[in-house]
Amino acid sequence: QDVADMRKQFPILAQDVQIPEYFEKEQFFSSVFRISSAGLQLWTHYDVMDNFLIQVRGNKRVVLYSPRDAPYLYLSGIKSKVLDVDNPDLEKYPLFVKAKRYQCSLEAGDVLFIPALWFHNVISEEFGVALNVFWKHLPAEAYDKSDTYGNKDPTAASRAIQILDRALKTLEELPEEYRDFYARRMVLRIQEKAYRNDDG
């Protein structure tokens, strides 16, 4: 359960990979060594830290979605329930068509920057070797100290979700009409207080 660090776990192999100097050394969180067979697909998910996907060997196709498209991705925790992004079941997931898809192909030597909270789905088109490098861009205390993979929500977000779950449970004490009304009021308050006003 140690945090992955290629330099410590695979020191000889690590000498062959040059990590871009994009962040300060103290911001480093992990470097995950990935070996994948042809056809392997990593489900659509988000990470809470910025990261580089460094393709060492083979080809990968990466499909990305903006954090703003979360309402259309049918989330379950940090991942989407839509497993096949190329041929989604639109009867089951009709809003998925509203999510704007960004796609790129990685070949050996390519590096892709994946910003925190951006959803990504990765498909290995052939046998491949890659490295993910994650780094902290929020203050250290914002992250869950028990996070070994860099994908646990920041502690403030986790607390907020727990509070929301308790609030929704409390609403169940009301008749349906009242529950619907107060839930809508809560959504409006969240939009007013927490949503960004710009298009960025």
Side-chain angles (χ1 to χ4, degrees), residues 1-15 28-35 131-132 148-149:
Q1 291 291 351
D2 290 341
V3 171
D5 186 344
M6 187 174 179
R7 296 166 302 180
K8 294 177 183 172
Q9 287 131 6
F10 304 97
I12 295 172
L13 294 175
Q15 295 172 19
F28 173 83
F29 177 73
S30 69
S31 53
V32 182
F33 185 48
R34 301 191 183 277
I35 298 176
L131 182 69
N132 272 113
T148 55
Y149 296 106

Short mmCIF file of all heavy atoms in Angstrom, two decimals, residues 1-15 28-35 131-132 148-149:
data_model
loop_
_atom_site.label_atom_id
_atom_site.label_comp_id
_atom_site.label_asym_id
_atom_site.label_seq_id
_atom_site.Cartn_x
_atom_site.Cartn_y
_atom_site.Cartn_z
N GLN A 1 0.82 -1.22 0.00
CA GLN A 1 0.00 0.00 0.00
C GLN A 1 0.85 1.26 0.00
O GLN A 1 0.37 2.34 0.27
CB GLN A 1 -0.94 0.00 1.21
CG GLN A 1 -2.04 -1.04 1.17
CD GLN A 1 -3.10 -0.75 0.11
OE1 GLN A 1 -3.10 0.30 -0.50
NE2 GLN A 1 -3.96 -1.70 -0.15
N ASP A 2 2.15 1.12 -0.32
CA ASP A 2 2.99 2.31 -0.43
C ASP A 2 2.61 3.10 -1.68
O ASP A 2 2.15 2.54 -2.67
CB ASP A 2 4.46 1.91 -0.52
CG ASP A 2 4.99 1.35 0.79
OD1 ASP A 2 4.34 1.60 1.82
OD2 ASP A 2 6.03 0.67 0.77
N VAL A 3 2.86 4.39 -1.63
CA VAL A 3 2.65 5.23 -2.81
C VAL A 3 3.66 4.80 -3.86
O VAL A 3 4.84 4.60 -3.58
CB VAL A 3 2.84 6.72 -2.43
CG1 VAL A 3 2.85 7.59 -3.68
CG2 VAL A 3 1.74 7.16 -1.48
N ALA A 4 3.20 4.64 -5.11
CA ALA A 4 4.07 4.18 -6.19
C ALA A 4 5.12 5.25 -6.53
O ALA A 4 4.79 6.41 -6.70
CB ALA A 4 3.24 3.85 -7.43
N ASP A 5 6.36 4.81 -6.62
CA ASP A 5 7.45 5.69 -7.02
C ASP A 5 8.41 4.87 -7.86
O ASP A 5 9.17 4.05 -7.33
CB ASP A 5 8.16 6.29 -5.81
CG ASP A 5 9.20 7.34 -6.19
OD1 ASP A 5 9.59 7.38 -7.38
OD2 ASP A 5 9.61 8.11 -5.31
N MET A 6 8.36 5.05 -9.16
CA MET A 6 9.18 4.25 -10.06
C MET A 6 10.66 4.34 -9.72
O MET A 6 11.40 3.37 -9.87
CB MET A 6 8.94 4.68 -11.50
CG MET A 6 9.62 3.78 -12.51
SD MET A 6 9.16 4.23 -14.18
CE MET A 6 10.14 3.03 -15.07
N ARG A 7 11.10 5.51 -9.24
CA ARG A 7 12.53 5.68 -8.92
C ARG A 7 12.97 4.76 -7.80
O ARG A 7 14.12 4.34 -7.76
CB ARG A 7 12.80 7.14 -8.53
CG ARG A 7 12.55 8.12 -9.68
CD ARG A 7 12.50 9.55 -9.19
NE ARG A 7 11.46 9.70 -8.18
CZ ARG A 7 11.19 10.83 -7.56
NH1 ARG A 7 11.89 11.92 -7.84
NH2 ARG A 7 10.23 10.90 -6.66
N LYS A 8 12.04 4.43 -6.89
CA LYS A 8 12.38 3.53 -5.77
C LYS A 8 12.11 2.07 -6.11
O LYS A 8 12.87 1.18 -5.73
CB LYS A 8 11.58 3.93 -4.52
CG LYS A 8 11.95 5.28 -3.97
CD LYS A 8 11.06 5.64 -2.79
CE LYS A 8 11.39 7.04 -2.29
NZ LYS A 8 10.43 7.48 -1.27
N GLN A 9 10.99 1.80 -6.80
CA GLN A 9 10.59 0.42 -7.05
C GLN A 9 11.24 -0.17 -8.31
O GLN A 9 11.44 -1.37 -8.39
CB GLN A 9 9.06 0.33 -7.13
CG GLN A 9 8.41 0.49 -5.76
CD GLN A 9 7.28 1.50 -5.73
OE1 GLN A 9 6.87 2.04 -6.73
NE2 GLN A 9 6.79 1.78 -4.52
N PHE A 10 11.56 0.69 -9.29
CA PHE A 10 12.21 0.23 -10.52
C PHE A 10 13.35 1.20 -10.88
O PHE A 10 13.30 1.85 -11.92
CB PHE A 10 11.20 0.17 -11.68
CG PHE A 10 10.00 -0.68 -11.40
CD1 PHE A 10 8.80 -0.11 -10.96
CD2 PHE A 10 10.04 -2.06 -11.58
CE1 PHE A 10 7.68 -0.89 -10.70
CE2 PHE A 10 8.92 -2.85 -11.32
CZ PHE A 10 7.75 -2.27 -10.88
N PRO A 11 14.36 1.31 -10.02
CA PRO A 11 15.38 2.35 -10.22
C PRO A 11 16.13 2.25 -11.54
O PRO A 11 16.47 3.28 -12.13
CB PRO A 11 16.32 2.17 -9.03
CG PRO A 11 16.04 0.79 -8.50
CD PRO A 11 14.61 0.50 -8.83
N ILE A 12 16.38 1.04 -12.03
CA ILE A 12 17.12 0.90 -13.29
C ILE A 12 16.27 1.39 -14.46
O ILE A 12 16.72 2.14 -15.32
CB ILE A 12 17.58 -0.57 -13.50
CG1 ILE A 12 18.59 -0.93 -12.41
CG2 ILE A 12 18.17 -0.76 -14.88
CD1 ILE A 12 18.99 -2.38 -12.37
N LEU A 13 14.98 0.98 -14.47
CA LEU A 13 14.08 1.43 -15.53
C LEU A 13 13.84 2.94 -15.46
O LEU A 13 13.69 3.60 -16.49
CB LEU A 13 12.75 0.69 -15.45
CG LEU A 13 12.77 -0.82 -15.71
CD1 LEU A 13 11.40 -1.42 -15.47
CD2 LEU A 13 13.23 -1.11 -17.13
N ALA A 14 13.81 3.47 -14.26
CA ALA A 14 13.52 4.90 -14.07
C ALA A 14 14.58 5.77 -14.75
O ALA A 14 14.28 6.90 -15.16
CB ALA A 14 13.42 5.23 -12.60
N GLN A 15 15.78 5.25 -14.90
CA GLN A 15 16.85 6.03 -15.53
C GLN A 15 16.53 6.32 -17.01
O GLN A 15 17.07 7.25 -17.59
CB GLN A 15 18.17 5.27 -15.43
CG GLN A 15 18.67 5.12 -14.01
CD GLN A 15 19.88 4.19 -13.93
OE1 GLN A 15 20.56 3.94 -14.92
NE2 GLN A 15 20.15 3.70 -12.74
N PHE A 28 5.75 16.48 -5.90
CA PHE A 28 5.67 15.11 -6.43
C PHE A 28 4.82 14.24 -5.49
O PHE A 28 4.99 14.27 -4.28
CB PHE A 28 7.07 14.51 -6.57
CG PHE A 28 7.07 13.05 -6.94
CD1 PHE A 28 6.94 12.65 -8.26
CD2 PHE A 28 7.18 12.07 -5.95
CE1 PHE A 28 6.92 11.30 -8.60
CE2 PHE A 28 7.17 10.73 -6.28
CZ PHE A 28 7.04 10.33 -7.60
N PHE A 29 3.91 13.45 -6.09
CA PHE A 29 3.12 12.51 -5.30
C PHE A 29 3.48 11.07 -5.64
O PHE A 29 3.81 10.28 -4.77
CB PHE A 29 1.62 12.73 -5.51
CG PHE A 29 0.78 11.72 -4.78
CD1 PHE A 29 0.64 11.79 -3.40
CD2 PHE A 29 0.15 10.68 -5.46
CE1 PHE A 29 -0.12 10.84 -2.71
CE2 PHE A 29 -0.59 9.73 -4.78
CZ PHE A 29 -0.73 9.82 -3.41
N SER A 30 3.40 10.71 -6.92
CA SER A 30 3.68 9.32 -7.29
C SER A 30 4.05 9.21 -8.76
O SER A 30 3.77 10.10 -9.56
CB SER A 30 2.47 8.43 -7.00
OG SER A 30 1.41 8.73 -7.87
N SER A 31 4.67 8.08 -9.09
CA SER A 31 4.91 7.72 -10.49
C SER A 31 4.51 6.26 -10.62
O SER A 31 5.10 5.39 -9.98
CB SER A 31 6.36 7.96 -10.89
OG SER A 31 7.25 7.33 -10.00
N VAL A 32 3.49 6.01 -11.42
CA VAL A 32 2.89 4.68 -11.54
C VAL A 32 3.34 4.05 -12.86
O VAL A 32 3.06 4.58 -13.94
CB VAL A 32 1.35 4.77 -11.48
CG1 VAL A 32 0.74 3.38 -11.56
CG2 VAL A 32 0.90 5.49 -10.22
N PHE A 33 4.03 2.93 -12.77
CA PHE A 33 4.55 2.19 -13.92
C PHE A 33 3.42 1.31 -14.44
O PHE A 33 2.82 0.55 -13.69
CB PHE A 33 5.74 1.35 -13.45
CG PHE A 33 6.47 0.62 -14.54
CD1 PHE A 33 6.86 1.26 -15.71
CD2 PHE A 33 6.80 -0.72 -14.38
CE1 PHE A 33 7.55 0.58 -16.69
CE2 PHE A 33 7.49 -1.40 -15.36
CZ PHE A 33 7.87 -0.76 -16.52
N ARG A 34 3.10 1.44 -15.74
CA ARG A 34 1.96 0.71 -16.31
C ARG A 34 2.40 -0.14 -17.50
O ARG A 34 3.01 0.37 -18.43
CB ARG A 34 0.87 1.68 -16.75
CG ARG A 34 0.34 2.55 -15.62
CD ARG A 34 -0.90 3.30 -16.05
NE ARG A 34 -1.39 4.18 -15.03
CZ ARG A 34 -2.16 3.83 -14.01
NH1 ARG A 34 -2.52 2.57 -13.86
NH2 ARG A 34 -2.58 4.72 -13.14
N ILE A 35 2.04 -1.41 -17.45
CA ILE A 35 2.25 -2.32 -18.58
C ILE A 35 0.87 -2.80 -18.99
O ILE A 35 0.09 -3.25 -18.15
CB ILE A 35 3.14 -3.52 -18.19
CG1 ILE A 35 4.53 -3.02 -17.76
CG2 ILE A 35 3.26 -4.50 -19.34
CD1 ILE A 35 5.45 -4.10 -17.25
N LEU A 131 3.96 5.49 -18.08
CA LEU A 131 4.19 5.97 -16.72
C LEU A 131 3.25 7.14 -16.47
O LEU A 131 3.15 8.05 -17.30
CB LEU A 131 5.65 6.43 -16.59
CG LEU A 131 6.12 6.94 -15.23
CD1 LEU A 131 6.17 5.78 -14.23
CD2 LEU A 131 7.49 7.58 -15.35
N ASN A 132 2.53 7.09 -15.35
CA ASN A 132 1.74 8.23 -14.90
C ASN A 132 2.52 8.91 -13.78
O ASN A 132 2.97 8.24 -12.85
CB ASN A 132 0.39 7.80 -14.32
CG ASN A 132 -0.70 7.70 -15.36
OD1 ASN A 132 -1.16 6.61 -15.63
ND2 ASN A 132 -1.09 8.81 -15.93
N THR A 148 -3.26 6.51 -1.30
CA THR A 148 -2.04 5.95 -1.89
C THR A 148 -2.07 6.00 -3.42
O THR A 148 -1.05 5.76 -4.05
CB THR A 148 -1.82 4.50 -1.45
OG1 THR A 148 -2.98 3.73 -1.76
CG2 THR A 148 -1.52 4.41 0.03
N TYR A 149 -3.22 6.30 -4.02
CA TYR A 149 -3.32 6.29 -5.47
C TYR A 149 -3.54 7.68 -6.07
O TYR A 149 -3.58 7.82 -7.30
CB TYR A 149 -4.46 5.36 -5.93
CG TYR A 149 -4.20 3.92 -5.57
CD1 TYR A 149 -4.88 3.31 -4.53
CD2 TYR A 149 -3.24 3.18 -6.25
CE1 TYR A 149 -4.63 2.00 -4.19
CE2 TYR A 149 -2.99 1.86 -5.91
CZ TYR A 149 -3.68 1.27 -4.88
OH TYR A 149 -3.43 -0.03 -4.54
#
